[in-house]
Amino acid sequence: GQSLEQPSEVTAVEGAIVQINCTYQTSGFYGLSWYQQHDGGAPTFLSYNALDGLEETGRFSSFLSRSDSYGYLLLQELQMKDSASYFCAVRDANNQGGKLIFGQGTELSVKP
Amino acid sequence: SQTIHQWPATLVQPVGSPLSLECTVEGTSNPNLYWYRQAAGRGLQLLFYSVGIGQISSEVPQNLSASRPQDRQFILSSKKLLLSDSGFYLCAWKLGTEAFFGQGTRLTVV
């Protein structure tokens, strides 16, 4: 089967850097994605890693190590508006690559 | 541009009543379509996904079903709702690496 593990919650202060880890287990693997969800809203796409290494998009970066089945989301220069839940997701290579499963989410609280 | 419509936004239904949630996508062809359920403060549980018309994969045994009568239409149904069916239901579509979500339906079964 497939599973993803990520911490349930993280707290940090404004201006700091925070890293949210994700380990995954799948029978096939296409890539690791990250999504942000504010309370009561719809998840929105942040980043995608298909290959090992770091992808940078503004204040957010995402890293993948396929050999370790591990990735992380790095948020820099934290702002209050970054308080949200963050989900890692994997696309299973089986079933025509259609299956997209999410972790349980990490609730990030940014304090002043 | 692509858009996804999901309705209704909120729904209160009695136990034992039927359910039909509809999701439509505009501006794309042959997308992968998904139904997720999210309990309060929890993760996104994949319920169903579809890679094409009439092709439905079910992930969790339950009293829910899904159908894809048209390329860009995905319907979540139940014949008789249970209290445990309460939650936040999200429809999503994906073409490539990025998934786009509808605004969700908050279902309360009473």
Side-chain angles (χ1 to χ4, degrees), chain A residues 2 33 35 37 40-45 48 87 91 94-105, chain B residues 32 34 36 38 41-44 46 49 51 55 57 59 88 90 94 96-99 101-103 106:
Chain A
Q2 301 85 15
S33 305
Y35 289 78
Q37 183 184 32
T44 55
F45 175 82
Y48 175 77
F87 296 88
R91 179 184 165 198
N94 298 318
N95 299 294
Q96 303 177 52
K99 193 171 177 180
L100 182 65
I101 59 170
F102 286 76
Q104 288 299 301
Chain B
N32 289 347
Y34 304 84
Y36 293 89
Q38 186 175 36
R42 303 293 297 276
L44 297 164
L46 179 61
Y49 68 97
V51 298
Q55 299 180 62
S57 296
E59 285 300 298
F88 190 43
L90 288 156
K94 183 172 73 69
T97 60
E98 182 176 346
F101 286 81
Q103 290 305 302
R106 195 162 302 280

Short mmCIF file of all heavy atoms in Angstrom, two decimals, chain A residues 2 33 35 37 40-45 48 87 91 94-105, chain B residues 32 34 36 38 41-44 46 49 51 55 57 59 88 90 94 96-99 101-103 106:
data_model
loop_
_atom_site.label_atom_id
_atom_site.label_comp_id
_atom_site.label_asym_id
_atom_site.label_seq_id
_atom_site.Cartn_x
_atom_site.Cartn_y
_atom_site.Cartn_z
N GLN A 2 0.18 2.37 0.14
CA GLN A 2 0.89 3.63 0.15
C GLN A 2 0.68 4.34 1.48
O GLN A 2 -0.41 4.27 2.06
CB GLN A 2 0.37 4.55 -0.97
CG GLN A 2 0.50 3.99 -2.36
CD GLN A 2 -0.65 3.10 -2.75
OE1 GLN A 2 -1.70 3.09 -2.11
NE2 GLN A 2 -0.46 2.33 -3.79
N SER A 33 4.64 16.06 -4.10
CA SER A 33 4.08 17.40 -4.18
C SER A 33 3.81 17.94 -2.79
O SER A 33 3.70 17.19 -1.83
CB SER A 33 2.75 17.37 -4.95
OG SER A 33 2.89 16.79 -6.22
N TYR A 35 1.18 20.87 -0.78
CA TYR A 35 -0.01 21.70 -0.88
C TYR A 35 -0.19 22.46 0.43
O TYR A 35 0.18 21.98 1.51
CB TYR A 35 -1.25 20.85 -1.15
CG TYR A 35 -1.28 20.26 -2.54
CD1 TYR A 35 -0.50 19.16 -2.87
CD2 TYR A 35 -2.07 20.84 -3.53
CE1 TYR A 35 -0.52 18.64 -4.16
CE2 TYR A 35 -2.09 20.32 -4.82
CZ TYR A 35 -1.31 19.22 -5.13
OH TYR A 35 -1.32 18.72 -6.40
N GLN A 37 -3.11 24.50 2.80
CA GLN A 37 -4.54 24.66 3.02
C GLN A 37 -4.78 25.56 4.22
O GLN A 37 -4.41 25.22 5.34
CB GLN A 37 -5.22 23.30 3.25
CG GLN A 37 -6.74 23.40 3.39
CD GLN A 37 -7.39 22.07 3.71
OE1 GLN A 37 -6.79 21.22 4.37
NE2 GLN A 37 -8.61 21.87 3.25
N GLY A 40 -10.53 25.93 6.52
CA GLY A 40 -11.81 26.01 5.84
C GLY A 40 -11.74 26.18 4.35
O GLY A 40 -12.78 26.22 3.68
N GLY A 41 -10.53 26.27 3.81
CA GLY A 41 -10.39 26.49 2.38
C GLY A 41 -9.99 25.27 1.61
O GLY A 41 -9.89 24.17 2.17
N ALA A 42 -9.76 25.45 0.32
CA ALA A 42 -9.32 24.35 -0.53
C ALA A 42 -7.79 24.31 -0.56
O ALA A 42 -7.13 25.34 -0.48
CB ALA A 42 -9.85 24.56 -1.95
N PRO A 43 -7.22 23.12 -0.64
CA PRO A 43 -5.76 23.02 -0.77
C PRO A 43 -5.29 23.67 -2.07
O PRO A 43 -5.96 23.58 -3.10
CB PRO A 43 -5.50 21.51 -0.79
CG PRO A 43 -6.72 20.91 -0.19
CD PRO A 43 -7.85 21.80 -0.58
N THR A 44 -4.12 24.30 -2.02
CA THR A 44 -3.52 24.88 -3.21
C THR A 44 -2.11 24.35 -3.39
O THR A 44 -1.39 24.12 -2.41
CB THR A 44 -3.48 26.42 -3.15
OG1 THR A 44 -2.80 26.82 -1.96
CG2 THR A 44 -4.88 27.00 -3.13
N PHE A 45 -1.74 24.15 -4.62
CA PHE A 45 -0.46 23.56 -4.98
C PHE A 45 0.69 24.51 -4.66
O PHE A 45 0.61 25.72 -4.92
CB PHE A 45 -0.48 23.24 -6.47
CG PHE A 45 0.82 22.74 -7.03
CD1 PHE A 45 1.19 21.42 -6.90
CD2 PHE A 45 1.67 23.61 -7.71
CE1 PHE A 45 2.38 20.95 -7.43
CE2 PHE A 45 2.86 23.16 -8.25
CZ PHE A 45 3.21 21.82 -8.11
N TYR A 48 6.46 20.74 -6.68
CA TYR A 48 6.52 19.34 -7.12
C TYR A 48 7.97 18.98 -7.37
O TYR A 48 8.71 19.73 -7.99
CB TYR A 48 5.71 19.17 -8.40
CG TYR A 48 5.80 17.80 -9.03
CD1 TYR A 48 5.09 16.73 -8.48
CD2 TYR A 48 6.58 17.58 -10.16
CE1 TYR A 48 5.16 15.47 -9.06
CE2 TYR A 48 6.66 16.33 -10.74
CZ TYR A 48 5.93 15.28 -10.20
OH TYR A 48 6.01 14.03 -10.76
N PHE A 87 0.47 19.79 3.31
CA PHE A 87 0.34 18.37 2.98
C PHE A 87 1.37 17.97 1.94
O PHE A 87 1.55 18.67 0.95
CB PHE A 87 -1.05 18.07 2.41
CG PHE A 87 -2.18 18.32 3.36
CD1 PHE A 87 -2.76 19.57 3.46
CD2 PHE A 87 -2.67 17.29 4.16
CE1 PHE A 87 -3.81 19.80 4.34
CE2 PHE A 87 -3.72 17.52 5.04
CZ PHE A 87 -4.29 18.77 5.13
N ARG A 91 2.20 10.76 -6.16
CA ARG A 91 1.46 10.23 -7.28
C ARG A 91 1.96 8.82 -7.53
O ARG A 91 3.15 8.61 -7.78
CB ARG A 91 1.70 11.13 -8.49
CG ARG A 91 1.01 10.72 -9.76
CD ARG A 91 1.44 11.65 -10.87
NE ARG A 91 1.09 11.11 -12.18
CZ ARG A 91 1.64 11.52 -13.32
NH1 ARG A 91 2.55 12.46 -13.31
NH2 ARG A 91 1.28 11.00 -14.46
N ASN A 94 1.42 3.33 -10.45
CA ASN A 94 0.48 2.32 -10.93
C ASN A 94 -0.85 2.97 -11.29
O ASN A 94 -1.04 4.17 -11.12
CB ASN A 94 0.28 1.26 -9.84
CG ASN A 94 1.57 0.55 -9.53
OD1 ASN A 94 2.34 0.21 -10.42
ND2 ASN A 94 1.84 0.36 -8.25
N ASN A 95 -1.77 2.22 -11.76
CA ASN A 95 -3.11 2.72 -12.09
C ASN A 95 -3.05 3.91 -13.03
O ASN A 95 -3.70 4.93 -12.80
CB ASN A 95 -3.87 3.09 -10.81
CG ASN A 95 -4.06 1.92 -9.88
OD1 ASN A 95 -4.77 0.97 -10.18
ND2 ASN A 95 -3.40 1.97 -8.76
N GLN A 96 -2.22 3.79 -14.08
CA GLN A 96 -2.07 4.84 -15.08
C GLN A 96 -1.62 6.16 -14.45
O GLN A 96 -1.89 7.24 -14.98
CB GLN A 96 -3.38 5.06 -15.83
CG GLN A 96 -3.90 3.79 -16.51
CD GLN A 96 -5.23 4.00 -17.20
OE1 GLN A 96 -5.37 4.92 -18.01
NE2 GLN A 96 -6.21 3.18 -16.90
N GLY A 97 -0.94 6.05 -13.31
CA GLY A 97 -0.45 7.27 -12.66
C GLY A 97 -1.55 8.14 -12.11
O GLY A 97 -1.35 9.30 -11.80
N GLY A 98 -2.76 7.57 -11.97
CA GLY A 98 -3.88 8.40 -11.57
C GLY A 98 -4.03 8.61 -10.09
O GLY A 98 -4.64 9.59 -9.65
N LYS A 99 -3.47 7.73 -9.29
CA LYS A 99 -3.72 7.78 -7.86
C LYS A 99 -2.87 8.85 -7.20
O LYS A 99 -1.66 8.85 -7.33
CB LYS A 99 -3.42 6.41 -7.27
CG LYS A 99 -3.90 6.21 -5.87
CD LYS A 99 -3.73 4.73 -5.52
CE LYS A 99 -4.13 4.45 -4.11
NZ LYS A 99 -3.96 3.00 -3.80
N LEU A 100 -3.49 9.75 -6.48
CA LEU A 100 -2.81 10.84 -5.79
C LEU A 100 -3.22 10.79 -4.33
O LEU A 100 -4.38 11.02 -3.99
CB LEU A 100 -3.20 12.18 -6.41
CG LEU A 100 -2.54 13.44 -5.83
CD1 LEU A 100 -1.04 13.41 -6.08
CD2 LEU A 100 -3.17 14.69 -6.44
N ILE A 101 -2.28 10.46 -3.45
CA ILE A 101 -2.61 10.33 -2.03
C ILE A 101 -1.84 11.37 -1.22
O ILE A 101 -0.72 11.74 -1.56
CB ILE A 101 -2.34 8.92 -1.50
CG1 ILE A 101 -0.87 8.53 -1.69
CG2 ILE A 101 -3.24 7.91 -2.20
CD1 ILE A 101 -0.52 7.26 -0.96
N PHE A 102 -2.47 11.77 -0.13
CA PHE A 102 -1.94 12.84 0.71
C PHE A 102 -1.57 12.33 2.09
O PHE A 102 -2.15 11.36 2.58
CB PHE A 102 -2.99 13.94 0.87
CG PHE A 102 -3.17 14.79 -0.36
CD1 PHE A 102 -3.88 14.32 -1.45
CD2 PHE A 102 -2.64 16.06 -0.42
CE1 PHE A 102 -4.05 15.10 -2.58
CE2 PHE A 102 -2.79 16.85 -1.54
CZ PHE A 102 -3.50 16.36 -2.63
N GLY A 103 -0.61 13.01 2.70
CA GLY A 103 -0.30 12.77 4.09
C GLY A 103 -1.37 13.37 4.98
O GLY A 103 -2.31 14.01 4.50
N GLN A 104 -1.21 13.21 6.30
CA GLN A 104 -2.21 13.69 7.25
C GLN A 104 -2.12 15.19 7.49
O GLN A 104 -2.99 15.75 8.15
CB GLN A 104 -2.07 12.95 8.57
CG GLN A 104 -2.54 11.51 8.50
CD GLN A 104 -4.00 11.41 8.14
OE1 GLN A 104 -4.87 11.94 8.84
NE2 GLN A 104 -4.32 10.76 7.02
N GLY A 105 -1.07 15.81 6.97
CA GLY A 105 -0.95 17.26 7.10
C GLY A 105 -0.18 17.70 8.32
O GLY A 105 -0.20 17.03 9.37
N ASN B 32 -7.65 13.75 -14.85
CA ASN B 32 -7.89 12.82 -13.75
C ASN B 32 -8.78 13.56 -12.75
O ASN B 32 -8.56 14.74 -12.45
CB ASN B 32 -6.59 12.41 -13.08
CG ASN B 32 -5.75 11.49 -13.93
OD1 ASN B 32 -6.21 10.95 -14.93
ND2 ASN B 32 -4.51 11.30 -13.54
N TYR B 34 -10.90 13.45 -8.87
CA TYR B 34 -10.77 12.87 -7.54
C TYR B 34 -11.87 13.37 -6.61
O TYR B 34 -12.31 14.51 -6.71
CB TYR B 34 -9.42 13.28 -6.90
CG TYR B 34 -8.22 12.93 -7.73
CD1 TYR B 34 -7.79 13.76 -8.76
CD2 TYR B 34 -7.52 11.74 -7.50
CE1 TYR B 34 -6.69 13.43 -9.53
CE2 TYR B 34 -6.41 11.41 -8.27
CZ TYR B 34 -6.01 12.27 -9.29
OH TYR B 34 -4.92 11.93 -10.06
N TYR B 36 -12.12 13.55 -2.42
CA TYR B 36 -11.48 13.37 -1.12
C TYR B 36 -12.46 13.75 -0.02
O TYR B 36 -13.35 14.58 -0.23
CB TYR B 36 -10.23 14.26 -0.99
CG TYR B 36 -9.09 13.91 -1.89
CD1 TYR B 36 -8.99 14.46 -3.16
CD2 TYR B 36 -8.10 13.03 -1.47
CE1 TYR B 36 -7.93 14.14 -4.00
CE2 TYR B 36 -7.03 12.71 -2.30
CZ TYR B 36 -6.95 13.27 -3.56
OH TYR B 36 -5.90 12.94 -4.37
N GLN B 38 -12.33 15.05 4.11
CA GLN B 38 -11.46 15.55 5.17
C GLN B 38 -12.28 15.74 6.43
O GLN B 38 -13.20 16.55 6.47
CB GLN B 38 -10.83 16.87 4.75
CG GLN B 38 -9.79 17.40 5.72
CD GLN B 38 -9.11 18.64 5.18
OE1 GLN B 38 -9.72 19.47 4.51
NE2 GLN B 38 -7.82 18.78 5.47
N GLY B 41 -9.72 18.90 11.08
CA GLY B 41 -8.35 18.85 11.57
C GLY B 41 -7.56 17.63 11.11
O GLY B 41 -6.52 17.33 11.69
N ARG B 42 -8.03 16.97 10.10
CA ARG B 42 -7.36 15.76 9.65
C ARG B 42 -6.90 15.88 8.20
O ARG B 42 -7.06 16.89 7.56
CB ARG B 42 -8.33 14.57 9.77
CG ARG B 42 -8.88 14.36 11.16
CD ARG B 42 -7.80 13.91 12.12
NE ARG B 42 -7.22 12.64 11.76
CZ ARG B 42 -7.74 11.46 12.09
NH1 ARG B 42 -8.88 11.39 12.75
NH2 ARG B 42 -7.13 10.34 11.72
N GLY B 43 -6.32 14.78 7.70
CA GLY B 43 -5.79 14.77 6.35
C GLY B 43 -6.85 14.53 5.30
O GLY B 43 -8.03 14.40 5.58
N LEU B 44 -6.39 14.48 4.06
CA LEU B 44 -7.27 14.25 2.91
C LEU B 44 -7.31 12.76 2.61
O LEU B 44 -6.31 12.16 2.22
CB LEU B 44 -6.74 15.01 1.70
CG LEU B 44 -6.71 16.53 1.85
CD1 LEU B 44 -5.83 17.15 0.77
CD2 LEU B 44 -8.11 17.08 1.76
N LEU B 46 -8.43 9.88 0.28
CA LEU B 46 -8.86 9.62 -1.09
C LEU B 46 -10.01 8.63 -1.08
O LEU B 46 -9.90 7.53 -0.56
CB LEU B 46 -7.69 9.08 -1.92
CG LEU B 46 -7.99 8.73 -3.37
CD1 LEU B 46 -8.45 9.97 -4.15
CD2 LEU B 46 -6.77 8.11 -4.04
N TYR B 49 -11.12 7.92 -7.53
CA TYR B 49 -10.48 8.67 -8.58
C TYR B 49 -10.83 8.04 -9.92
O TYR B 49 -11.21 6.86 -9.99
CB TYR B 49 -8.97 8.80 -8.38
CG TYR B 49 -8.17 7.53 -8.51
CD1 TYR B 49 -7.53 7.20 -9.70
CD2 TYR B 49 -8.02 6.68 -7.42
CE1 TYR B 49 -6.77 6.05 -9.81
CE2 TYR B 49 -7.26 5.53 -7.52
CZ TYR B 49 -6.64 5.22 -8.71
OH TYR B 49 -5.89 4.08 -8.81
N VAL B 51 -9.60 8.07 -14.17
CA VAL B 51 -8.66 8.47 -15.22
C VAL B 51 -9.36 8.64 -16.56
O VAL B 51 -8.73 9.02 -17.54
CB VAL B 51 -7.47 7.49 -15.33
CG1 VAL B 51 -6.68 7.47 -14.03
CG2 VAL B 51 -7.95 6.10 -15.70
N GLN B 55 -14.53 5.16 -15.84
CA GLN B 55 -13.47 4.45 -15.11
C GLN B 55 -13.37 5.03 -13.70
O GLN B 55 -12.95 6.17 -13.53
CB GLN B 55 -12.12 4.61 -15.82
CG GLN B 55 -12.09 4.04 -17.21
CD GLN B 55 -10.72 4.25 -17.85
OE1 GLN B 55 -9.72 3.74 -17.36
NE2 GLN B 55 -10.67 4.99 -18.94
N SER B 57 -12.06 4.23 -9.71
CA SER B 57 -11.32 3.40 -8.75
C SER B 57 -11.73 3.83 -7.35
O SER B 57 -11.71 5.02 -7.03
CB SER B 57 -9.81 3.59 -8.93
OG SER B 57 -9.39 3.14 -10.20
N GLU B 59 -11.17 3.65 -3.30
CA GLU B 59 -10.07 3.45 -2.37
C GLU B 59 -10.51 2.94 -1.01
O GLU B 59 -9.76 2.27 -0.32
CB GLU B 59 -9.30 4.78 -2.18
CG GLU B 59 -8.43 5.12 -3.36
CD GLU B 59 -7.38 4.06 -3.61
OE1 GLU B 59 -6.53 3.83 -2.73
OE2 GLU B 59 -7.41 3.41 -4.68
N PHE B 88 -15.83 17.22 5.21
CA PHE B 88 -15.57 18.20 4.16
C PHE B 88 -15.16 17.43 2.91
O PHE B 88 -14.14 16.76 2.90
CB PHE B 88 -14.46 19.15 4.64
CG PHE B 88 -14.23 20.35 3.80
CD1 PHE B 88 -15.28 21.09 3.29
CD2 PHE B 88 -12.93 20.78 3.51
CE1 PHE B 88 -15.06 22.22 2.52
CE2 PHE B 88 -12.70 21.91 2.73
CZ PHE B 88 -13.77 22.63 2.25
N LEU B 90 -14.04 17.22 -0.95
CA LEU B 90 -13.31 18.02 -1.93
C LEU B 90 -13.18 17.27 -3.24
O LEU B 90 -12.77 16.11 -3.27
CB LEU B 90 -11.91 18.35 -1.41
CG LEU B 90 -11.84 19.38 -0.28
CD1 LEU B 90 -10.57 19.20 0.53
CD2 LEU B 90 -11.89 20.79 -0.85
N LYS B 94 -6.66 16.83 -12.04
CA LYS B 94 -5.20 16.89 -12.26
C LYS B 94 -4.90 16.56 -13.71
O LYS B 94 -5.44 15.63 -14.27
CB LYS B 94 -4.49 15.88 -11.35
CG LYS B 94 -2.97 15.93 -11.46
CD LYS B 94 -2.33 15.05 -10.40
CE LYS B 94 -2.49 13.57 -10.70
NZ LYS B 94 -1.70 13.15 -11.86
N GLY B 96 -1.21 16.39 -15.48
CA GLY B 96 0.21 16.65 -15.24
C GLY B 96 0.52 16.49 -13.78
O GLY B 96 0.04 15.56 -13.13
N THR B 97 1.27 17.40 -13.24
CA THR B 97 1.77 17.23 -11.88
C THR B 97 0.98 17.99 -10.82
O THR B 97 1.13 17.73 -9.64
CB THR B 97 3.23 17.70 -11.80
OG1 THR B 97 3.29 19.09 -12.18
CG2 THR B 97 4.11 16.90 -12.75
N GLU B 98 0.13 18.91 -11.22
CA GLU B 98 -0.54 19.78 -10.25
C GLU B 98 -2.02 19.45 -10.18
O GLU B 98 -2.68 19.31 -11.21
CB GLU B 98 -0.35 21.24 -10.66
CG GLU B 98 -0.95 22.24 -9.72
CD GLU B 98 -0.65 23.67 -10.12
OE1 GLU B 98 0.24 23.88 -10.98
OE2 GLU B 98 -1.31 24.59 -9.59
N ALA B 99 -2.53 19.34 -8.95
CA ALA B 99 -3.96 19.11 -8.74
C ALA B 99 -4.63 20.42 -8.34
O ALA B 99 -4.05 21.22 -7.60
CB ALA B 99 -4.18 18.06 -7.66
N PHE B 101 -8.19 22.03 -6.71
CA PHE B 101 -9.32 21.64 -5.89
C PHE B 101 -10.49 22.59 -6.02
O PHE B 101 -10.31 23.80 -6.21
CB PHE B 101 -8.90 21.58 -4.41
CG PHE B 101 -8.05 20.40 -4.06
CD1 PHE B 101 -6.69 20.40 -4.31
CD2 PHE B 101 -8.63 19.28 -3.48
CE1 PHE B 101 -5.90 19.30 -3.99
CE2 PHE B 101 -7.84 18.18 -3.15
CZ PHE B 101 -6.49 18.19 -3.41
N GLY B 102 -11.69 22.02 -5.90
CA GLY B 102 -12.87 22.84 -5.76
C GLY B 102 -12.93 23.40 -4.35
O GLY B 102 -12.08 23.08 -3.50
N GLN B 103 -13.92 24.23 -4.10
CA GLN B 103 -14.01 24.91 -2.81
C GLN B 103 -14.58 24.01 -1.71
O GLN B 103 -14.63 24.40 -0.55
CB GLN B 103 -14.84 26.18 -2.94
CG GLN B 103 -14.11 27.27 -3.72
CD GLN B 103 -12.75 27.58 -3.13
OE1 GLN B 103 -12.63 27.96 -1.97
NE2 GLN B 103 -11.69 27.40 -3.92
N ARG B 106 -19.22 21.15 2.69
CA ARG B 106 -19.22 20.75 4.10
C ARG B 106 -20.54 20.04 4.38
O ARG B 106 -21.60 20.67 4.40
CB ARG B 106 -19.05 21.95 5.01
CG ARG B 106 -18.68 21.59 6.43
CD ARG B 106 -18.09 22.75 7.20
NE ARG B 106 -16.89 23.30 6.59
CZ ARG B 106 -15.68 22.77 6.69
NH1 ARG B 106 -15.49 21.67 7.38
NH2 ARG B 106 -14.65 23.36 6.12
#
